Amino acid sequence: MKSLGGASFSLQRRLQPASGMRVHGTRRRLKPTLQAKARATLAWLCTGAMLYGQAPTVSRPTSPVWWRPYMPTTITPARMTNTQRIHSLMRAGRLYLTLQDAIALAIENDLNLEVARTQPLSAEWAIERAQAGGAPRGVSSASTQIGGADAGLGVLGTASSAGISAGGGGSVGGNGSGGVTTSQIGTTAQVLDPFVQNQTSFSHITYPQAIQAISGVPTLVDNQRIYSNLIQQGLPTGGFVQFKSYDQGLNENAPGDNYNPASGSYLQLSSQVPVFQGRGLAVNSRQIKVAINNKIAARDTFRSQLENLVSNVMTAYWDLVSSGDTLKARQTALEIAQKFYSDTKGQIDLGTLAPVELPRAAAELANRQQDLSIATANVRQQEASLKDSLTRSPDPAIDAAEIVTLDRIEVPNDDNLPGLRDLLARAMAKRPDMVLAKIKDQNSEISSLGTKDALLPTGILFGRYMDRGAAGTPQVVPGEPTSPFFTGGYGKTLGQIFRNDFPTEYGGFYFQAPLRNRQAQADYGVEQLQLKQGDVSSMRDKNAILVEISNEMLALRQARSRFVVASEALALQQQLLDAERNRFSFGTGTTSAIIIAQRAVVTAQTTLISARSAYATARARLEKALGETLEVNHVSLDEGLSGQVSRESKITEPSR
């Protein structure tokens, strides 16, 4: 097959003064004209930018860094108009198309391909989500100490330190679990994006005191302010590191308080690291690796859809070419039938032919007219089918345009096909479905790390280091001396913390192991069976591709044989028709013989056209089976993703 390439073609209309017209005007008159031209040029440029193909894009917010993470992204609106390329190929109500132009228009305007362009973008954002920590959609909860009483501070703090419940004052916020609940098989990946958490609360609480031994008043009025800040960073090897600052201010009406108002604060650094389950970079980064593979898979999925589109456009284009050739053959047959009818009528008028022959010639003319009508309708149907792939939105001018195909199907002298095994190797390397199958197997192996890791028991090493401080305004309480060490405000407490006056170290090991572990073993066993099934399926697919390529090679050879036989048959039938015409001109032939010979020629012509179309279809199917459709037709994946074909179009004379 031969396709004609295209170069740039543009039609520019220049407004020039008519012959004999004189151009007058001063600078004052010329200035508005230049402004009008500038506005018109800018309008055309903007229109062209909107009409030309543009792939969907997602732009990150450009706000200041402090609130940029909380701003939505910007998505370009979908283009709903046809590209300018299709209008540049129209002349006088006709649409002139080469195969390459048809493919370019389909890439730029096909709506199904436009929908498919969002898949690679979604895959890119999936990588970011996986890098942030994967499946969990929440963050660890806050400590239960938020909203509680600081140990040793005030009436309630004193009671808490002594192990006495003073009533009321439960925890506000937080649940103490420190984790998230997910429903996935295998070890849950660690949240890797750092997060900051703040809780600020102010309270005014009144407690009835039936026993006044501690508070000294029948009604205890407690005013609290609490500031709690936390920042946590997940570790790619599992676990997390957390830093927390806490400050509680207290003012109450208890006469026995040595320090009132008072302030209690602490700084805390804590961390936990898994020892068995969930330990290691491979387990915790598996979702990132899968997301990266899925990005590659999204491109190959789009490539598969792009190949299908190009293959379908090729088939539709060659079908239209064949329908046009059939229409020309029907027109030629009609012209021959009309001439034969005129010649027959003339000979009857001269008396050299019996009048009975005229109805036969008229019937043959009517049959050829009917064949032409059917061929014309078939061409219109093929045009409508092809236009549906080349346009994005209805356009009356395009709908009414007649398509003129500029390329013709040419059958080469030899196909030069390599061996079946060589073609199989090319198909395994180039077919997008084979690439997708490999990626799927890789993802399954990566994901299996999670189910294997889930077989292990849970073991967590945890540790915490804390420094406390407490200070307040001293009050005179008989029998209760105060110390300058605790006299002061928030600055005093910070000094105690940084001097490490009241350190607290806390560490330990948490262990949990199921006694039978049947669920994890079942998950691992099922996944291993699925991996084995994937290996068998890959071999089955390879065998199926081998059979497919073999069948397409056989179909191509059969199409070539049909074309050769049809070409020879047409030549022979044309010779027989010429012989019958000569016999008829000398008075030795009959009308029936000529009609039969003409029908045979028309049949041979349509058979040859069908054979040529079958060869083009078989060739395209073999290229698709090998995964070489885009390569043969000079279409790049980037052009498909962007919706912009770089090569320009040019109207050329139709090849004869």
Side-chain angles (χ1 to χ4, degrees):
M1 291 179 291
K2 180 180 179 182
S3 293
L4 301 179
S8 174
F9 184 89
S10 62
L11 179 63
Q12 298 180 352
R13 299 178 60 189
R14 298 184 178 181
L15 298 179
Q16 298 179 353
S19 177
M21 181 182 296
R22 298 181 61 185
V23 180
H24 300 279
T26 61
R27 184 177 181 181
R28 181 177 298 177
R29 295 181 179 178
L30 184 61
K31 186 176 180 180
T33 304
L34 292 176
Q35 291 178 348
K37 288 184 177 180
R39 287 195 297 267
T41 302
L42 181 61
W44 276 107
L45 289 176
C46 294
T47 304
M50 290 187 294
L51 292 178
Y52 204 76
Q54 182 181 6
T57 58
V58 181
S59 302
R60 298 178 181 276
T62 57
S63 305
V65 66
W66 302 109
W67 56 81
R68 187 183 306 165
Y70 316 106
M71 300 297 294
T73 55
T74 303
I75 302 177
T76 56
R79 178 177 55 83
M80 295 301 178
T81 57
N82 301 316
T83 56
Q84 189 63 29
R85 183 189 301 268
I86 194 168
H87 297 285
S88 67
L89 295 174
M90 294 185 63
R91 296 291 184 276
R94 291 185 175 185
L95 178 60
Y96 293 84
L97 279 182
T98 64
L99 176 60
Q100 292 298 311
D101 288 336
I103 293 174
L105 287 172
I107 292 175
E108 293 176 351
N109 293 320
D110 186 74
L111 289 174
N112 293 325
L113 197 65
E114 182 70 17
V115 173
R117 288 190 180 99
T118 60
Q119 297 174 359
L121 284 177
S122 299
E124 290 182 4
W125 284 97
I127 293 178
E128 292 212 0
R129 188 173 188 279
Q131 290 173 341
R137 290 184 175 272
V139 295
S140 301
S141 61
S143 172
T144 56
Q145 292 171 319
I146 295 180
D150 195 58
L153 191 65
V155 174
L156 300 181
T158 304
S160 175
S161 299
I164 301 174
S165 175
S171 297
V172 180
N175 54 29
S177 63
V180 293
T181 302
T182 59
S183 57
Q184 70 176 53
I185 297 176
T187 306
T188 302
Q190 177 65 45
V191 176
L192 299 179
D193 266 7
F195 68 90
V196 177
Q197 182 174 287
N198 169 270
Q199 181 167 332
T200 302
S201 63
F202 302 92
S203 61
H204 175 84
I205 307 174
T206 303
Y207 302 97
Q209 302 291 302
I211 301 176
Q212 304 178 23
I214 297 178
S215 63
V217 292
T219 302
L220 178 63
V221 179
D222 193 347
N223 296 300
Q224 292 188 34
R225 52 168 179 79
I226 297 176
Y227 309 99
S228 178
N229 301 287
L230 179 145
I231 181 171
Q232 178 173 308
Q233 172 66 61
L235 303 177
T237 55
F240 63 86
V241 176
Q242 183 186 97
F243 177 77
K244 179 180 178 181
S245 67
Y246 176 85
D247 176 62
Q248 177 187 8
L250 176 66
N251 188 0
E252 58 186 11
N253 63 340
D257 285 350
N258 289 6
Y259 298 92
N260 190 30
S263 175
S265 306
Y266 68 82
L267 298 180
Q268 173 183 290
L269 180 65
S270 59
S271 177
Q272 70 176 38
V273 180
V275 179
F276 303 118
Q277 187 180 123
R279 179 179 65 89
L281 185 62
V283 172
N284 290 279
S285 65
R286 69 186 191 279
Q287 293 176 352
I288 300 176
K289 296 177 181 178
V290 169
I292 294 174
N293 283 344
N294 287 341
K295 178 182 177 181
I296 302 174
R299 288 177 63 90
D300 281 281
T301 300
F302 179 82
R303 181 161 69 94
S304 177
Q305 295 170 315
L306 181 60
E307 283 192 350
N308 290 334
L309 175 65
V310 173
S311 181
N312 293 336
V313 170
M314 289 175 61
T315 301
Y317 185 88
W318 295 131
D319 287 345
L320 180 57
V321 170
S322 300
S323 298
D325 292 341
T326 302
L327 178 61
K328 293 178 181 178
R330 299 302 185 189
Q331 289 174 340
T332 302
L334 178 60
E335 293 172 358
I336 294 174
Q338 289 174 339
K339 186 176 184 303
F340 180 72
Y341 177 80
S342 300
D343 293 344
T344 301
K345 187 176 180 181
Q347 291 185 6
I348 292 175
D349 293 339
L350 295 175
T352 59
L353 195 65
V356 71
E357 299 295 340
L358 186 60
R360 295 179 182 178
E364 178 67 13
L365 178 60
N367 290 334
R368 299 290 77 81
Q369 289 174 340
Q370 182 179 9
D371 291 343
L372 179 62
S373 177
I374 295 174
T376 302
N378 190 29
V379 169
R380 297 296 171 260
Q381 291 176 353
Q382 296 293 342
E383 286 180 347
S385 177
L386 182 58
K387 288 177 184 178
D388 183 62
S389 301
L390 307 184
T391 56
R392 178 167 299 199
S393 61
D395 189 320
I398 299 174
D399 294 340
E402 173 189 353
I403 296 181
V404 179
T405 55
L406 303 179
D407 290 343
R408 295 293 175 264
I409 302 174
E410 295 185 5
V411 181
N413 297 328
D414 192 4
D415 294 316
N416 296 322
L417 293 178
L420 180 59
R421 294 295 171 179
D422 293 336
L423 292 179
L424 177 62
R426 286 163 54 179
M428 297 299 293
K430 296 181 179 180
R431 283 180 59 131
D433 54 346
M434 289 296 96
V435 178
L436 291 173
K438 292 180 182 179
I439 293 176
K440 181 181 178 181
D441 293 341
Q442 292 176 0
N443 286 347
S444 298
E445 293 178 0
I446 294 173
S447 299
S448 66
L449 296 175
T451 53
K452 183 178 181 180
D453 185 78
L455 292 169
L456 301 175
T458 301
I460 299 176
L461 281 174
F462 56 89
R464 180 185 304 167
Y465 182 81
M466 178 189 300
D467 272 306
R468 290 182 177 273
T473 302
Q475 303 293 330
V476 178
V477 179
E480 296 290 339
T482 59
S483 172
F485 186 80
F486 295 102
T487 301
Y490 181 64
K492 190 74 171 185
T493 62
L494 288 180
Q496 296 170 356
I497 291 174
F498 289 116
R499 287 195 306 268
N500 199 22
D501 290 335
F502 304 101
T504 300
E505 295 87 11
Y506 177 76
F509 177 73
Y510 171 81
F511 179 80
Q512 175 181 335
L515 296 181
R516 301 186 66 179
N517 207 22
R518 290 184 296 177
Q519 178 178 345
Q521 288 179 340
D523 291 338
Y524 182 76
V526 170
E527 190 164 51
Q528 292 302 308
L529 288 174
Q530 292 175 346
L531 289 175
K532 297 300 181 183
Q533 290 175 355
D535 295 338
V536 176
S537 299
S538 298
M539 180 60 66
R540 180 191 60 191
D541 294 339
K542 182 177 179 180
N543 295 337
I545 291 176
L546 181 64
V547 174
E548 180 184 359
I549 295 175
S550 177
N551 291 337
E552 297 301 341
M553 291 176 64
L554 180 60
L556 185 64
R557 293 192 178 102
Q558 290 177 345
R560 170 177 291 280
S561 299
R562 287 180 55 191
F563 173 77
V564 172
V565 172
S567 300
E568 295 175 351
L570 177 59
L572 293 175
Q573 293 297 338
Q574 189 65 48
Q575 292 176 7
L576 292 175
L577 177 59
D578 294 339
E580 289 297 334
R581 287 175 178 171
N582 291 333
R583 292 178 59 189
F584 185 80
S585 63
F586 289 108
T588 59
T590 62
T591 305
S592 298
I594 291 182
I595 291 175
I596 293 174
Q598 287 178 346
R599 290 176 179 175
V601 169
V602 172
T603 302
Q605 287 176 338
T606 55
T607 302
L608 178 61
I609 293 171
S610 298
R612 189 182 289 113
S613 177
Y615 178 86
T617 301
R619 187 76 191 188
R621 289 176 61 88
L622 178 60
E623 292 168 355
K624 185 178 179 181
L626 297 176
E628 297 178 347
T629 300
L630 301 183
E631 179 182 345
V632 171
N633 292 278
H634 310 291
V635 177
S636 68
L637 181 60
D638 291 335
E639 287 179 336
L641 288 170
S642 65
Q644 298 180 0
V645 179
S646 57
R647 71 176 166 272
E648 299 176 345
S649 299
K650 178 182 178 181
I651 295 180
T652 58
E653 291 295 330
S655 57
R656 302 296 181 185

